[in-house]
């Protein structure tokens, strides 16, 4: 039934563990309503660290907007250059932007 006070929409500004899902498959959520007695965290990563530390499946961390990887990507350009086929031939040159397109010839300078 309707109430006298409006109900907010969207997610909460805090995160809490999803105890409704089995631990190896669970993560942190911010859906309404906040269950009574649930621990809360200021961010999704803080929740994963606090509630799912040691989770070998990595499910909680994999649900982050930018999840950590086992092979971090390097910053900056590549150590090699390759032809810029996306630019008109008369204006193109070689670039070292990541990622290196498959099958592209590479040059040291």
């Amino acid at each position: 039934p309707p109430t006298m006070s409006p109900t907010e929409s969207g997610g909460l500004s805090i995160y809490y563990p999803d105890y409704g899902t089995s631990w190896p498959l669970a993560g942190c959520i911010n859906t309404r309503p906040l269950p009574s007695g649930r621990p809360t965290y200021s961010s999704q990563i803080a929740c994963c660290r606090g509630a799912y530390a040691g989770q070998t499946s990595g499910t909680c961390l994999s649900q982050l907007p930018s999840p950590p990887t086992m092979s971090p990507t390097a910053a900056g350009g590549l150590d090699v250059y390759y032809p810029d086929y996306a630019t008109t031939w008369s204006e193109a040159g070689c670039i070292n932007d990541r990622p290196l397109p498959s099958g592209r010839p590479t040059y040291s300078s």
Side-chain angles (χ1 to χ4, degrees):
T3 63
M4 296 303 292
S5 57
T7 304
E8 293 185 45
S9 61
L12 297 166
S13 60
I14 55 173
Y15 288 84
Y16 60 92
D18 179 9
Y19 291 159
T21 302
S22 67
W23 198 78
L25 304 175
C28 292
I29 55 178
N30 67 342
T31 55
R32 294 179 188 277
L34 172 63
S36 178
R38 197 70 57 98
T40 59
Y41 300 87
S42 60
S43 67
Q44 190 174 9
I45 193 163
C47 179
C48 287
R49 288 178 176 162
Y52 295 103
Q55 184 187 49
T56 57
S57 66
T59 301
C60 190
L61 292 175
S62 75
Q63 295 171 352
L64 293 169
S66 296
T69 64
M70 295 302 288
S71 304
T73 54
L78 297 167
D79 292 333
V80 296
Y81 292 83
Y82 60 90
D84 179 9
Y85 294 156
T87 303
T88 307
W89 183 83
S90 60
E91 299 174 10
C94 289
I95 56 176
N96 68 339
D97 297 345
R98 293 181 187 274
L100 174 63
S102 178
R104 217 46 85 83
T106 60
Y107 306 94
S108 61
S109 61

